[in-house]
Amino acid sequence: SFPTMSPFSWLSVDDTPRESSPFINIIDQDQENYYDGKNMALFEEEMESNPMVSSLLNKLANYTNLTQGVTEHEEYEEGVTKVRVKGPQMGTFIGVYLPCMQNILGVILFLRLTWIVGTAGILESFAVVVMCCTCTMLTAISMSAIATNGVVPAGGSYYMISRSLGPEFGGAVGLCFYLGTTFAGSMYILGTIEILLTYIVPNAAVFVAETKEDESVALLNNMRVYGTCCLALMALVVFVGVKYVNKLSLVFLACVVLSIMAIYAGVIKTAIEPPNFPICLLGNRSLQNHNFEKCMKTEERNNQTHTTKLWDLFCDSPYLNATCDDYFIRNNVTEIQGIPGLLSGVIKDNLWSEYGPSGMLVEKKDQLSVPAKDKSRNINLPYVFNDISTFFTLIVGIYFPSVTGIMAGSNRSGDLRDAQRSIPTGTILAIATTSFLYMTCVVLFGACIEGVVLRDKFGDSVKKNLVIGTLAWPSPWVIVIGSFFSCCGAGLQSLTGAPRLLQAIARDGIVPFLQVFGHGKANGEPTWALLMTAGICEIGILIASLDEVAPILSMFFLMCYLFVNLACAVQTLLGTPNWRPRFKFYHWTLSFLGMSLCLSLMFICSWYYALVAMCIAGCIYKYIEYRGAEKEWGDGIRGLSLNAARYALIRLEEAPPHTKNWRPQLLVLLKLDSDLGVKHPRLLSLTTQLKAGKGLTIVSSVLEGTYMSLGAQAKTAEQNVKAAMHSERTKGFCHVVASSNLRDGFSHLIQSAGLGGMKHNTVLMAWPGAWKQAQDTYPWKNFIETVRETTSAHQALLVAKNIDRFPSNQDRLGEGTIDVWWIVHDGGLLMLLPFLLRQHKVWRKCKMRIFSVAQMDDNSIQMKKDLQMFLYQLRLNAEVEVVEMHGSDISAFTYEKTLVMEQRSQMLKQMQLSRNEREREIQSITDESRSSIKRKSLNSTAQLIHDRNTKSHANLNNKAAVSPEHHMTWTKDKLIAERNRNRAEPNMGVKDLFNLKPNQSNVRRMHTAVKLNEVVVNKSQGAQLVLLNMPGPPKNKGGDENYMEFLEVLMDGLDRVLLVRGGGREVITIYS
């Protein structure tokens, strides 16, 4: 008996369980704390795979977002060592708002916005700005929804798109966005150099134009030289470290803010006191005034008329009697203010567009002008010209880059303290701010500046001043210096963001050839990616024209924004349970609107660039699909596929397919060997050849046992089958089930494989070749039950004999025939199969022959004509032959063969002997039968067929006879004695067995099999494949073994045979 104890008395003072513990036995000291807090003993076996909630929360609380470019993604890729590096953490203002502002308010605002307003007019410019800003705002809303749906590691927009739309789209769009960001870097560098060479130090030019025609070429060459130097310098700064870029960016941003404040201050000042920037007009043409001071032809000095420098530009000598330009003589020179001011009413003149070809003169429309006769010398005169042809779509392409940069915050998501909160807030605020700035600037520029000055891209008419600078207060230099640093900063931002983007794509391993760019310095800085970025950036710099680079990066950015919107729309419409963004102000209609706007803008900007960008994205998509690593990121496209599949399946279930749509949807029943490998891989080859990649294929097998004990083997078997399918190029699904016995397993597969309307309608299996030699009756009984079940399920059945001799997918059958023996019509599958096989390369050169059997009372000539007409209407090319089978008497051979079959069957039923005894018994019966057959007088044909039929069995039996195991010679007496020793109850003796008379219906069936086999072998022995109608199994299950024998006789002497049993419905039609 046990002493009375309190419930807790089994615990010692230090709370370690004692021996007397009713639940926990002695545990060693190491395991002691394993049970601390384990009042969850019920779940303790699952703790390894399913951790406690408290420990999970603890891990999440200690989660730190990694710095950019350092193993940033949540997937654990095997073989990749994780290096955790703590990076500088930034908030919304410094991390998102300022980079976005700086990237958005870049080069276009300072260098091109005035020209855009002048060329397109206030109304069209305003429309362009609204359209582009709406596009970016809608994209930012979609991006915010995606960014707040879970943690966004480094890689920003790429990460968001790839995890929402899958690796193919992610890689394609990620690379497009990378190229866009890189070209943006080259655009900012070109802007920097343009400001430097045009407005700050024009004398620093390396190439100087000798004639006016060469000016543009010289400018481009200067841009190339200085741009390359600038790129090298910026790349070096970025290489040194991202923290320096961040520190510098604040300085650069201050310049941007000061510049914008200077613009607004200047606008206010123009209302009070307009600045003095006179421009000189000859007639209504604007003149470049950096080569003359006074806007007059002649001047009075000391009561004498002197010519001015302007006269020298238009005349061949400084004298009054010089020969001058015709237009110069006919028109007067007038001086007007370039900045009339906010209240001057100039806004009315600037409302409408002034597009024109390259080389068109910049003219003030309402000014008086007398046209000249000779226009040939215009190019060499100091007029202001259009340097490029202008039209609305060009303006959109050039302007759009000025609203990009909205991803600047999300690109550096790895450096943010709380990316989920910072990205939406910072990005949307930055877009709202910059949109307001752009819209007001468009209106204010049009209201303050004269049209001819606005259309003067490089400020030639205002003494080579930056046009926007003329408006600024207190000095144009504020804008020049501000815009210079702004472009520098934006260039640095691009060169910081682009390599990290490339590194993120490389680290994901979805594009194999980019793997090298995943490596970097010890602190995670992407060195190789930076080199690649600098190389691509140099291409943009070699283009050298800001106006030509801008549309290129517009394409890439628009492509990226389009897919961000698509990702958000897809996720919202699918309503996946994981779609739970913290940012709530989104809707799928907004995303679709954004997507449509992006697509429209792409084609508005430049339809051919749009097509090129799409082709690049498409090629990357197909490459990743073909070569890329297989990733499952739970992306929206897979969700979309699921939804589409579900919808299609529900639609399919509404009605069975029409005969015209019927194609074999295969359930392939495979046998596995002892190592769980595929026993007959040629069965998969045949499947591939039959399907040509179309329709449904379910490859299945059954393991004998319970699922609990065979779960791991089932997984292994499934992997092996999938590997075999891959090597045989069989496209389809694999299914390995565990069942208490094979019979039930195959039965369940035939009943339940497939889903909804996507169910199999045809079963393909191999003929059980060694069914006679098997230890037990299971193989052939299973086979016959499968035949019965497919028949009752109204499914077609294909049984391949000698499957291992069938051609592989690499073989090419040069010639030969596919012979169809059409004996009964069960739906026309016999006709369809050769047609399908001949679609495949293996069987393409084989000809199709159709044989039909005519009975005594059939008109074989008419039958052949009818069959030819039927095939013509079926659109099948085949030779037709009608074979006559005369009703000959049942030969003695047939009689004896039937008798042997029945005796063997009876013998096996009676004798529950060991395997050796059974083999000996069969041997003795076969020997006796053979001798009795020899005694009979048979005609030569029957004898020939018999020899052929018994040859294989004799070989087997002879082998068995000489086997070392068998030393006894069996006689009838010994057989009876053995039987009497083993069996107690009296039964029909063996003597009676030998006196059996065969069943008449069996004799008739055997006669058919023998005769038909004789005809088939005669005609089709050399055929590459023989297709035969498969007779149905007997209704009485007692004759099952006889049925197997009939089929064996029917196929005897043929190399490759496909037995075909229709499913009871028409599968081929003559109608269109």
Side-chain angles (χ1 to χ4, degrees):
S1 66
F2 293 102
T4 312
M5 296 168 69
S6 75
F8 302 102
S9 62
W10 54 273
L11 284 175
S12 68
V13 179
D14 60 349
D15 287 351
T16 52
R18 291 198 195 125
E19 283 185 73
S20 58
S21 159
F23 301 112
I24 304 173
N25 295 328
I26 287 179
I27 51 172
D28 50 29
Q29 205 67 26
D30 296 341
Q31 285 182 311
E32 210 174 288
N33 49 7
Y34 178 75
Y35 291 99
D36 286 356
K38 283 257 174 112
N39 47 5
M40 288 286 163
L42 193 60
F43 298 96
E44 65 190 24
E45 288 185 2
E46 298 177 18
M47 288 294 176
E48 291 299 319
S49 56
N50 306 341
M52 291 285 290
V53 174
S54 54
S55 63
L56 178 71
L57 292 175
N58 186 36
K59 281 179 191 165
L60 286 176
N62 294 332
Y63 174 82
T64 53
N65 208 347
L66 300 178
T67 188
Q68 270 197 310
V70 185
T71 24
E72 57 283 83
H73 301 316
E74 84 274 22
E75 293 88 0
Y76 177 73
E77 306 291 353
E78 289 179 25
V80 179
T81 46
K82 299 271 178 180
V83 185
R84 289 192 171 262
V85 181
K86 184 77 175 163
Q89 299 289 294
M90 294 182 285
T92 307
F93 189 71
I94 289 184
V96 181
Y97 183 76
L98 295 186
C100 283
M101 284 281 286
Q102 190 168 353
N103 268 22
I104 295 170
L105 297 173
V107 59
I108 303 292
L109 169 66
F110 299 117
L111 292 185
R112 294 289 181 271
L113 194 58
T114 50
W115 174 77
I116 286 170
V117 174
T119 307
I122 294 172
L123 296 179
E124 286 183 34
S125 302
F126 196 80
V128 170
V129 171
V130 169
M131 196 160 53
C132 295
C133 290
T134 306
C135 178
T136 52
M137 182 58 91
L138 291 171
T139 305
I141 291 169
S142 298
M143 188 185 76
S144 301
I146 299 170
T148 57
N149 186 50
V151 177
V152 179
S157 53
Y158 157 71
Y159 184 90
M160 291 187 296
I161 296 165
S162 62
R163 294 325 186 261
S164 297
L165 288 178
E168 293 91 357
F169 275 118
V173 181
L175 282 172
C176 275
F177 187 55
Y178 163 72
L179 290 171
T181 311
T182 309
F183 274 109
S186 55
M187 185 185 77
Y188 293 128
I189 291 170
L190 288 174
T192 307
I193 303 306
E194 188 176 305
I195 293 164
L196 185 73
L197 291 181
T198 313
Y199 308 114
I200 300 177
V201 276
N203 300 329
V206 178
F207 298 91
V208 180
E210 292 178 6
T211 62
K212 202 164 175 65
E213 287 97 333
D214 299 336
E215 274 182 8
S216 59
V217 178
L219 177 66
L220 294 182
N221 287 332
N222 285 321
M223 300 278 269
R224 289 178 183 120
V225 172
Y226 278 97
T228 306
C229 299
C230 184
L231 173 64
L233 192 67
M234 284 188 177
L236 190 66
V237 172
V238 173
F239 179 76
V240 170
V242 69
K243 61 182 179 182
Y244 298 109
V245 176
N246 284 335
K247 285 174 183 172
L248 287 169
S249 66
L250 280 173
V251 177
F252 295 150
L253 193 83
C255 295
V256 178
V257 174
L258 281 173
S259 302
I260 288 165
M261 287 167 67
I263 292 167
Y264 280 100
V267 168
I268 294 164
K269 187 173 181 292
T270 62
I272 306 157
E273 182 191 344
N276 182 32
F277 278 101
I279 54 168
C280 194
L281 297 178
L282 176 61
N284 63 356
R285 297 177 185 178
S286 179
L287 298 178
Q288 299 180 3
N289 67 355
H290 42 83
N291 288 327
F292 60 90
E293 292 297 324
K294 295 174 181 173
C295 183
M296 50 182 75
K297 294 180 182 179
T298 56
E299 59 178 344
E300 293 288 331
R301 282 205 309 266
N302 302 326
N303 293 326
Q304 287 184 337
T305 304
H306 293 273
T307 57
T308 59
K309 286 185 180 177
L310 182 62
W311 180 282
D312 293 349
L313 295 171
F314 284 92
C315 302
D316 58 0
S317 74
Y319 303 110
L320 291 170
N321 61 354
T323 307
C324 295
D325 176 67
D326 187 36
Y327 188 82
F328 181 74
I329 296 165
R330 288 163 178 264
N331 290 278
N332 293 324
V333 178
T334 39
E335 192 173 58
I336 59 169
Q337 276 302 328
I339 316 286
L342 192 61
L343 307 176
S344 62
V346 75
I347 190 167
K348 287 183 287 188
D349 301 332
N350 293 332
L351 281 176
W352 310 109
S353 58
E354 292 276 350
Y355 300 122
S358 173
M360 185 184 88
L361 297 166
V362 174
E363 298 173 336
K364 185 172 167 61
K365 291 295 179 198
D366 55 357
Q367 194 83 5
L368 288 172
S369 169
V370 181
K373 292 172 186 172
D374 179 25
K375 297 184 180 180
S376 57
R377 287 187 59 215
N378 281 351
I379 188 71
N380 297 315
L381 298 174
Y383 294 125
V384 179
F385 296 98
N386 271 4
D387 63 330
I388 54 172
S389 298
T390 53
F391 37 88
F392 179 75
T393 55
L394 174 88
I395 298 294
V396 177
I398 291 175
Y399 174 74
F400 189 80
S402 68
V403 294
T404 60
I406 62 168
M407 299 282 190
S410 66
N411 274 353
R412 299 168 62 240
S413 52
D415 296 333
L416 299 172
R417 200 175 300 121
D418 180 4
Q420 286 205 30
R421 210 186 82 229
S422 299
I423 290 175
T425 316
T427 307
I428 290 173
L429 277 176
I431 291 174
T433 312
T434 51
S435 299
F436 172 77
L437 285 174
Y438 281 129
M439 288 176 198
T440 51
C441 281
V442 165
V443 176
L444 294 175
F445 291 168
C448 296
I449 305 174
E450 185 61 59
V452 285
V453 180
L454 284 173
R455 290 198 297 286
D456 180 2
K457 190 186 280 185
F458 299 110
D460 289 318
S461 61
V462 281
K463 293 200 172 357
K464 273 287 183 186
N465 272 307
L466 182 60
V467 173
I468 198 171
T470 60
L471 187 63
W473 179 86
S475 160
W477 283 99
V478 176
I479 295 280
V480 172
I481 302 299
S483 59
F484 178 77
F485 282 120
S486 157
C487 292
C488 280
L492 281 171
Q493 290 283 358
S494 295
L495 287 178
T496 310
R500 278 160 183 69
L501 194 56
L502 185 60
Q503 188 183 41
I505 297 168
R507 286 271 170 91
D508 265 341
I510 53 171
V511 185
F513 68 81
L514 292 180
Q515 296 282 337
V516 66
F517 300 113
H519 308 298
K521 291 196 289 188
N523 65 346
E525 289 295 315
T527 317
W528 290 107
L530 179 61
L531 281 172
M532 177 71 172
T533 305
I536 297 171
C537 214
E538 179 63 20
I539 295 170
I541 285 166
L542 291 176
I543 294 172
S545 167
L546 192 71
D547 302 318
E548 285 178 33
V549 173
I552 295 174
L553 67 106
S554 292
M555 283 308 125
F556 289 125
F557 277 121
L558 279 165
M559 179 83 78
C560 177
Y561 296 168
L562 184 145
F563 281 104
V564 169
N565 283 307
L566 176 65
C568 182
V570 164
Q571 295 280 30
T572 311
L573 286 172
L574 286 176
T576 45
N578 189 49
W579 179 246
R580 306 185 298 274
R582 288 195 175 281
F583 179 81
K584 299 297 179 192
F585 308 100
Y586 69 93
H587 194 265
W588 67 267
T589 49
L590 293 177
S591 301
F592 263 116
L593 185 63
M595 194 173 76
S596 314
L597 204 50
C598 288
L599 194 62
S600 309
L601 283 170
M602 279 177 76
F603 282 94
I604 287 172
C605 291
S606 166
W607 64 268
Y608 46 91
Y609 275 157
L611 292 176
V612 169
M614 284 176 167
C615 284
I616 291 172
C619 291
I620 298 166
Y621 178 97
K622 294 309 287 183
Y623 175 78
I624 294 171
E625 193 177 53
Y626 176 65
R627 284 293 313 277
E630 285 186 19
K631 300 277 181 182
E632 171 50 78
W633 286 331
D635 51 83
I637 292 296
R638 286 188 71 92
L640 199 59
S641 304
L642 278 171
N643 264 21
R646 184 185 63 87
Y647 174 75
L649 283 171
I650 289 169
R651 287 288 304 276
L652 271 176
E653 194 145 32
E654 289 172 7
H658 189 272
T659 304
K660 284 187 283 190
N661 293 329
W662 195 95
R663 66 167 73 242
Q665 317 282 14
L666 291 179
L667 171 67
V668 184
L669 301 180
L670 283 182
K671 280 188 77 174
L672 302 177
D673 55 27
S674 54
D675 298 329
L676 300 178
V678 176
K679 198 169 184 182
H680 301 298
R682 285 285 176 275
L683 205 56
L684 294 174
S685 306
L686 179 61
T687 308
T688 306
Q689 292 155 23
L690 203 55
K691 303 294 296 179
K694 296 182 177 71
L696 173 74
T697 305
I698 303 170
V699 180
S700 56
S701 192
V702 179
L703 300 179
E704 202 164 359
T706 62
Y707 183 65
M708 295 299 288
S709 59
L710 294 175
Q713 286 97 311
K715 289 269 191 302
T716 309
E718 203 157 294
Q719 291 303 320
N720 293 346
V721 173
K722 279 182 180 170
M725 287 171 71
H726 182 71
S727 66
E728 296 294 342
R729 295 180 184 169
T730 308
K731 292 180 181 174
F733 307 100
C734 170
H735 202 31
V736 177
V737 295
S739 178
S740 54
N741 59 63
L742 296 177
R743 172 72 242 108
D744 289 350
F746 284 124
S747 174
H748 294 151
L749 283 169
I750 289 167
Q751 291 174 59
S752 61
L755 181 66
M758 281 295 275
K759 285 185 78 70
H760 61 278
N761 54 27
T762 308
V763 176
L764 172 62
M765 60 197 294
W767 170 258
W771 67 275
K772 286 187 180 180
Q773 287 77 43
Q775 294 182 32
D776 48 42
T777 59
Y778 286 129
W780 58 265
K781 280 189 173 171
N782 285 349
F783 174 79
I784 294 173
E785 285 302 309
T786 306
V787 176
R788 285 199 174 101
E789 285 195 354
T790 52
T791 306
S792 61
H794 300 295
Q795 291 171 5
L797 176 67
L798 309 177
V799 179
K801 188 193 176 191
N802 296 336
I803 185 64
D804 294 326
R805 293 190 205 161
F806 273 64
S808 71
N809 289 328
Q810 281 69 44
D811 295 339
R812 299 287 179 269
L813 301 177
E815 54 188 19
T817 59
I818 300 174
D819 286 1
V820 177
W821 283 83
W822 193 23
I823 296 147
V824 292
H825 178 66
D826 53 3
L829 184 58
L830 266 174
M831 308 289 176
L832 198 57
L833 289 176
F835 170 75
L836 292 172
L837 281 172
R838 288 179 63 222
Q839 304 297 307
H840 197 274
K841 292 173 189 168
V842 173
W843 302 90
R844 191 162 287 160
K845 292 184 179 173
C846 291
K847 290 179 179 166
M848 179 175 164
R849 294 195 301 180
I850 293 188
F851 295 92
S852 191
V853 177
Q855 301 298 321
M856 278 296 287
D857 50 353
D858 289 331
N859 180 346
S860 56
I861 298 169
Q862 186 58 41
M863 197 170 161
K864 183 172 182 177
K865 283 183 182 172
D866 293 344
L867 189 52
Q868 282 171 333
M869 179 51 72
F870 182 59
L871 286 176
Y872 176 75
Q873 288 174 334
L874 285 176
R875 289 94 63 207
L876 294 174
N877 296 323
E879 290 178 30
V880 174
E881 198 167 329
V882 175
V883 179
E884 295 182 352
M885 270 183 73
H886 300 298
S888 58
D889 294 337
I890 291 170
S891 66
F893 162 68
T894 305
Y895 195 83
E896 283 296 329
K897 194 145 182 71
T898 314
L899 187 62
V900 171
M901 176 185 80
E902 292 191 352
Q903 284 173 348
R904 177 180 176 280
S905 183
Q906 286 292 340
M907 189 79 72
L908 289 179
K909 281 178 191 166
Q910 278 188 24
M911 305 205 169
Q912 297 170 346
L913 305 173
S914 69
R915 187 182 176 197
N916 284 352
E917 291 164 340
R918 190 183 299 174
E919 281 181 358
R920 292 178 210 134
E921 173 195 339
I922 294 166
Q923 180 68 44
S924 69
I925 295 169
T926 312
D927 291 346
E928 181 142 347
S929 310
R930 194 174 290 124
S931 62
S932 82
I933 290 168
K934 281 177 185 169
R935 283 196 301 275
K936 310 247 179 183
S937 59
L938 289 168
N939 59 40
S940 60
T941 313
Q943 184 62 48
L944 183 70
I945 293 171
H946 167 260
D947 287 353
R948 191 170 63 243
N949 276 335
T950 55
K951 190 175 179 182
S952 57
H953 301 319
N955 287 345
L956 283 165
N957 294 332
N958 291 341
K959 277 178 200 164
V962 298
S963 164
E965 295 171 24
H966 310 155
H967 298 299
M968 299 172 63
T969 306
W970 279 73
T971 62
K972 204 184 297 181
D973 300 320
K974 283 184 180 177
L975 193 64
I976 294 165
E978 185 72 23
R979 194 249 322 175
N980 289 339
R981 193 166 69 244
N982 285 332
R983 283 201 160 190
E985 69 276 1
N987 212 327
M988 182 176 71
V990 176
K991 189 174 284 187
D992 304 328
L993 267 181
F994 285 107
N995 296 333
L996 264 177
K997 285 194 177 177
N999 181 306
Q1000 282 308 306
S1001 80
N1002 282 349
V1003 173
R1004 283 202 318 277
R1005 287 192 175 94
M1006 183 63 84
H1007 175 65
T1008 308
V1010 169
K1011 278 293 177 189
L1012 195 54
N1013 175 260
E1014 187 182 332
V1015 174
V1016 172
V1017 169
N1018 184 29
K1019 293 283 186 184
S1020 299
Q1021 195 163 23
Q1024 298 285 11
L1025 178 63
V1026 177
L1027 282 86
L1028 278 167
N1029 276 117
M1030 183 179 186
K1035 290 190 171 66
N1036 174 19
K1037 291 195 178 182
D1040 282 359
E1041 194 176 1
N1042 302 343
Y1043 172 67
M1044 294 295 286
E1045 191 73 55
F1046 296 145
L1047 291 181
E1048 193 76 66
V1049 170
L1050 183 61
M1051 295 186 288
D1052 201 25
L1054 296 169
D1055 188 24
R1056 297 183 192 129
V1057 184
L1058 196 60
L1059 289 176
V1060 180
R1061 187 161 171 73
R1065 62 160 292 169
E1066 291 294 333
V1067 300
I1068 191 164
T1069 178
I1070 62 173
Y1071 299 107
S1072 63

